[in-house]
Amino acid sequence: MEVSLPSLFESAKAEMSALSITVMLPRMLAAAFIGALLSLRPWRLPMRRPLPKADMVQAQVLLCAAAAVITAVIGDSVAKAFGLVGLGGFVRFRSGLKDPRDAAILFLMIGLGMACGHGSLGLAGVGTVFVATLLFVLDLFNREAPGGVMKQRLLVSAQADDLVSAEATLRSALGERNVLVKSCALDFDGRRLELEVEEPVPGSLTAALGRTEGMPLRGLRWTAVSPKGGREELT
């Protein structure tokens, strides 16, 4: 079936007359504002908590705005709704969500965006206040370290006559303080061992190695391993 260019212009003109920009623009802006507010979580700043990652913030804002646009496009047309659902089946996301809470927030963003696109700004406002309060309460009970403290990696080295026994002794002492052993290297010729560990809390490694006093270990020392591979001797 051929469609002439004038008919396309007439159809677009009819749609523009039925859909007022002054009505739709506030809905789209409200969806973008709600997405930015809930994704950034500005209340984390006075709590000294790290803000969400930039890619997740952008994804949530775009998803909230996309839900508003899709709802406005569908309107009251059931045919359009089924058509958009069918087209959505072709979309595939390459990256999975590591945190299930992010998936839940994305669903909430879709719902609030749909409310904005439908014109129910009052419902969207109430929903935004409820979701923001809920996220604030969850952040209060979240045990994430303040300020986004990074776990420090260190290299523990020592000398011993029996390297196997020395390794077991060190692993036992480190495990009592929840210090994670990432790798181990044994030099039987030089009677030396090295353990690369990850310190969950500053000072936990010192407390763990303090339990090795009196054990057959010589020259016990540890150095900090920087992200770029450099080392800084601590003791």
Side-chain angles (χ1 to χ4, degrees):
M1 181 177 61
E2 296 183 358
V3 180
S4 61
L5 188 61
S7 63
L8 290 177
F9 281 111
E10 290 296 331
S11 176
K13 183 178 179 180
E15 290 183 1
M16 290 298 295
S17 60
L19 193 63
S20 175
I21 297 180
T22 57
V23 174
M24 292 307 304
L25 185 59
R27 299 181 184 181
M28 304 303 159
L29 293 177
F33 174 76
I34 291 173
L37 176 65
L38 296 181
S39 60
L40 285 173
R41 303 188 195 181
W43 55 83
R44 283 191 169 191
L45 293 176
M47 297 170 63
R48 295 185 178 180
R49 297 287 182 85
L51 295 177
K53 295 182 179 179
D55 54 351
M56 183 56 62
V57 171
Q58 296 173 7
Q60 292 176 5
V61 173
L62 291 173
L63 189 60
C64 190
V69 173
I70 292 174
T71 304
V73 170
I74 292 175
D76 297 328
S77 174
V78 179
K80 289 182 179 180
F82 280 104
L84 288 175
V85 169
L87 290 175
F90 291 100
V91 179
R92 294 291 184 270
F93 293 97
R94 294 292 182 182
S95 59
L97 297 175
K98 298 181 180 179
D99 194 341
R101 292 173 295 183
D102 292 333
I105 294 174
L106 291 178
F107 278 108
L108 291 172
M109 290 293 184
I110 293 175
L112 294 174
M114 292 178 66
C116 293
H118 189 264
S120 304
L121 298 183
L123 177 61
V126 174
T128 301
V129 174
F130 173 77
V131 174
T133 305
L134 182 60
L135 291 176
F136 174 75
V137 173
L138 293 177
D139 284 337
L140 284 178
F141 289 96
N142 188 10
R143 294 184 179 180
E144 186 178 359
V149 178
M150 298 291 291
K151 294 181 179 179
Q152 187 177 13
R153 288 200 175 190
L154 303 103
L155 188 67
V156 180
S157 61
Q159 288 183 327
D161 295 330
D162 187 353
L163 295 182
V164 177
S165 177
E167 179 191 359
T169 300
L170 284 175
R171 284 183 179 270
S172 176
L174 295 172
E176 292 179 0
R177 292 290 180 173
N178 297 324
V179 178
L180 180 63
V181 178
K182 305 294 291 185
S183 63
C184 176
L186 302 178
D187 182 8
F188 289 96
D189 293 333
R191 299 183 183 275
R192 185 179 184 83
L193 77 159
E194 290 185 348
L195 297 176
E196 184 178 351
V197 301
E198 190 174 72
E199 188 179 36
V201 180
S204 57
L205 178 63
T206 305
L209 295 181
R211 296 176 175 270
T212 61
E213 295 183 0
M215 297 181 180
L217 295 173
R218 302 187 304 271
L220 180 63
R221 63 180 60 194
W222 57 96
T223 56
V225 180
S226 66
K228 294 182 179 180
R231 298 180 181 180
E232 178 183 355
E233 186 171 333
L234 299 179
T235 184

